[in-house]
Amino acid sequence: MAFTLPRPHRDDWRIAVGGLLGGVLLWGLGIRPRMPSDSLVLWDASWAPLVPLAVTAACEPLRRAVPRAGLLIGTAALILDTVTCGSIVTIVLYTDLVYAAVLYGTPASARRIPWITGMLTVVGGVVPAALWRDPQGLLIGVGIGVVAFAPAATGWVVRNHRDAAEAARLRAEQTALLAEMDRAQAVTAERARMARELHDVIANHLSAIAIHSTAALSLDDPETSKDALNVVRENSVDGLAEMRRLIGILRDRDGDLEPAATPTLDSLAGLVGGARANGLDVTLDAGHDAVPAPVELAAYRIVQESLTNALKHAAKGRVHVGLRQRSDTLDVRVTSPYRPGDSPRAPGSGAGLTGMRERATLLGGTFVAGPDGGVWTVHAVFPLTEGEPA
């Protein structure tokens, strides 16, 4: 596989061309930092400064693509420039290569280059001053610091600010993503809660309407049909009232409306009375004291849904509703006659069992429903002590 370099940035090409033209202009005008008679000038040809200038300018397109290679080649060109009459543009271009190597290079290069240039600055100032016993030797260190350490330190500061800005942007994106996930989960949970509440409140009335309307249509007895239609009307009115209450709560944007008619365990007697009016033979055995409001509502809804299922599916016989409160739990048990193979008196979707299980699980309780011999049992246990809900 052929190795291809990343495409240089167009601004890097502009820096290279601008630097080269500027250096040629200064060379043409005779502006140079050293004269041919200087002792450091070993290559005194008039065109000699153009060689390191061209090499350094050629390294500029590499400042983002391969900054370390550009810096190494530029360093060699700068050393070559010191033995000629030199060019100010070559030095300026080299400082940009040092800056780019720290800013765009690898993290290891960004850490090492400032340390190396800092050490060279110190050594370049102390050693000549000690050997020559002349304080002016410190000026060599100053020159190295201006050419190498200053751009390296600048690149390090800019890189740190850029990395901090990138980290802040990523944190903001993650925060926004988590907020969106929380919002979606909250919407999903609220929709599930609304579905459970709507099902539990309306299903009982609609099941009774379906069963009694079927009876009214199938029996040729005016008195029986009249009684069935009365039950249908009562359940229709009650169902519409519950529906209006729920719609009013959903439409209330200010949150001022509260479900004032939230059922309690003391309302079980009325619930059982309504089930008896719908044709069920129900007995109630409730022994409990004050329980937390969420547990009270969940237990009521489970009994309500169990009686609805018994109305639709149970065989002939007695339905028993029992509540027992212990020191730290509330035990809810509803049993109804069960005969495998019987056809339901009204259609069902199975959402009732799912909703009952969700209510128990959300409060950290347990839920079991299924046949046990000739009896269908719904059994839920709710903890009454404070703890983490599931």
Side-chain angles (χ1 to χ4, degrees):
M1 180 181 296
F3 177 74
T4 57
L5 291 176
R7 186 176 180 180
H9 196 276
R10 58 186 179 183
D11 290 340
D12 299 339
W13 285 110
R14 293 169 182 167
I15 294 174
V17 174
L20 181 61
L21 294 178
V24 172
L25 177 62
L26 293 180
W27 173 81
L29 295 175
I31 300 175
R32 62 197 71 178
R34 291 179 294 276
M35 300 303 293
S37 59
D38 196 315
S39 60
L40 294 177
V41 177
L42 303 179
W43 189 10
D44 59 357
S46 62
W47 51 269
L50 298 178
V51 176
L53 172 65
V55 174
T56 308
C59 293
E60 284 295 335
L62 307 178
R63 63 193 297 273
R64 300 175 199 255
V66 279
R68 187 163 58 179
L71 178 60
L72 292 176
I73 299 173
T75 302
L78 182 66
I79 295 174
L80 179 62
D81 182 76
T82 59
V83 299
T84 69
C85 292
S87 173
I88 297 176
V89 176
T90 301
I91 298 174
V92 173
L93 292 177
Y94 179 77
T95 59
D96 181 67
L97 293 176
V98 177
Y99 169 81
V102 176
L103 182 60
Y104 302 114
T106 62
S109 298
R111 290 192 302 268
R112 293 170 184 168
I113 292 175
W115 282 103
I116 294 173
T117 55
M119 291 177 59
L120 290 176
T121 300
V122 174
V123 172
V126 173
V127 172
L131 291 178
W132 299 342
R133 299 182 183 276
D134 187 352
Q136 290 187 355
L138 295 173
L139 295 177
I140 298 177
V142 173
I144 296 176
V146 171
V147 174
F149 178 70
T154 304
W156 175 253
V157 172
V158 174
R159 183 182 182 120
N160 283 343
H161 281 290
R162 186 187 66 177
D163 292 344
E166 180 66 16
R169 185 186 65 82
L170 291 177
R171 284 195 298 269
E173 290 181 354
Q174 292 175 355
T175 302
L177 180 61
L178 291 175
E180 179 62 22
M181 292 175 61
D182 290 343
R183 188 195 67 81
Q185 292 177 355
V187 170
T188 301
E190 184 64 14
R191 290 178 64 181
R193 187 189 68 82
M194 290 164 53
R196 285 194 304 269
E197 194 71 15
L198 185 62
H199 176 275
D200 293 346
V201 168
I202 304 301
N204 184 43
H205 298 298
L206 294 182
S207 298
I209 290 172
I211 292 171
H212 286 277
S213 60
T214 301
L217 292 173
S218 60
L219 297 177
D220 190 14
D221 184 354
E223 190 63 28
T224 303
S225 298
K226 183 178 180 180
D227 294 339
L229 290 176
N230 285 330
V231 174
V232 168
R233 183 184 181 282
E234 291 176 0
N235 282 277
S236 299
V237 172
D238 293 341
L240 286 174
E242 293 288 352
M243 183 72 76
R244 291 192 192 98
R245 183 180 67 85
L246 289 176
I247 292 175
I249 294 174
L250 293 177
R251 285 183 172 178
D252 179 34
R253 296 183 179 181
D254 299 329
D256 296 332
L257 294 180
E258 294 290 340
T262 299
T264 64
L265 294 181
D266 294 333
S267 306
L268 287 178
L271 181 64
V272 169
R276 289 174 182 152
N278 290 331
L280 283 180
D281 182 9
V282 188
T283 60
L284 175 62
D285 182 12
H288 61 85
D289 296 324
V291 299
V295 174
E296 192 169 26
L297 176 61
Y300 180 93
R301 292 302 188 199
I302 286 179
V303 173
Q304 182 183 43
E305 180 60 24
S306 299
L307 293 178
T308 300
N309 289 341
L311 182 65
K312 293 190 292 186
H313 303 285
K316 294 293 184 180
R318 175 163 295 181
V319 178
H320 179 73
V321 178
L323 277 80
R324 283 292 178 268
Q325 182 177 349
R326 298 179 176 84
S327 60
D328 57 353
T329 60
L330 178 66
D331 190 289
V332 180
R333 187 184 298 268
V334 181
T335 59
S336 57
Y338 173 74
R339 192 165 52 239
D342 284 354
S343 298
R345 290 184 288 275
S349 62
L353 292 177
T354 302
M356 289 190 285
R357 183 174 288 105
E358 289 177 351
R359 288 185 183 276
T361 303
L362 287 172
L363 296 176
T366 60
F367 176 82
V368 178
D372 183 11
V375 175
W376 182 277
T377 301
V378 174
H379 183 209
V381 178
F382 296 96
L384 300 180
T385 56
E386 293 186 1
E388 289 191 15

